[in-house]
Amino acid sequence: GEPGLAPPAVEALARLAAHEPNEHLLSSLARAHPSSLAPLAEAASGAVPPNAPHGSEVAAALAQDAALELLLLFASSADLTLKRLLASSPLVLPRLVGVIAGAGTQPPPAVRRSASILQHLASVHGHRQYFRAYEPTLAQLGSMHSQLQPDVPMILNQVLSELSVNV
């Protein structure tokens, strides 16, 4: 596979995104290099590689937070090309759905942010094709009120509603 972005690089990109003038530059960078979305999706999962050194959990959590911030920035932009790149990326949707499905082991802000990213991507006409494989899982997760923060099932049900309209 391609080399990934190291957690410090993901964090640095998120710090750049915190300054509004850099948002357009980062969006342009992601559009020009769609392969950069895969390592962001991996970092967003919060997964710690097997045999990782002690303390890797903290680095993975920081990278997850930064990656989700970047993905939310891209998903909430008005740039439809970038939204299509996110939705069609082979890793973005499965990793975000995985974060929500693993709500018991994921930080609540990561679960909520993942659901929000999905909502932004589902709102684009024609994106249902990218979500089709995840609709049953999203419907199941949307009914898990006791395991998720109160607003997450509502967001997931909005995602499904958006998908039914934006075929």
Side-chain angles (χ1 to χ4, degrees):
E2 290 188 29
L5 290 172
V10 173
E11 291 173 50
L13 288 171
R15 280 195 297 278
L16 283 172
H19 303 285
E20 196 171 319
N22 295 330
E23 289 179 9
H24 179 71
L25 176 67
L26 290 169
S27 294
S28 296
L29 181 66
R31 235 184 0 266
H33 302 282
S35 62
S36 66
L37 298 175
L40 282 180
E42 284 295 341
S45 74
V48 178
N51 303 322
H54 180 69
S56 296
E57 295 83 8
V58 172
L62 291 171
Q64 178 184 41
D65 188 55
L68 287 169
E69 187 67 32
L70 284 166
L71 291 172
L72 183 58
L73 170 77
F74 297 155
S76 62
S77 77
D79 186 333
L80 295 179
T81 301
L82 185 53
K83 288 182 178 192
R84 183 187 48 76
L85 288 171
L86 281 171
S88 66
S89 166
L91 291 179
V92 171
L93 293 182
R95 296 304 181 267
L96 294 173
V97 171
V99 168
I100 300 166
T105 60
Q106 294 284 350
V111 175
R112 191 175 300 106
R113 202 174 288 154
S114 295
S116 293
I117 294 166
L118 292 176
Q119 185 179 18
H120 284 289
L121 296 178
S123 69
V124 178
H125 182 74
H127 277 196
R128 186 172 191 185
Q129 63 181 325
Y130 306 120
F131 279 83
R132 209 165 255 129
Y134 307 102
E135 285 183 81
T137 303
L138 292 172
Q140 181 182 8
L141 291 169
S143 67
M144 296 175 62
H145 296 279
S146 61
Q147 292 92 334
L148 298 169
Q149 305 98 308
D151 57 336
V152 173
M154 181 184 70
I155 295 170
L156 295 178
N157 288 320
Q158 288 172 347
V159 166
L160 293 168
S161 177
E162 291 279 358
L163 291 173
S164 69
V165 174
N166 294 314
V167 177

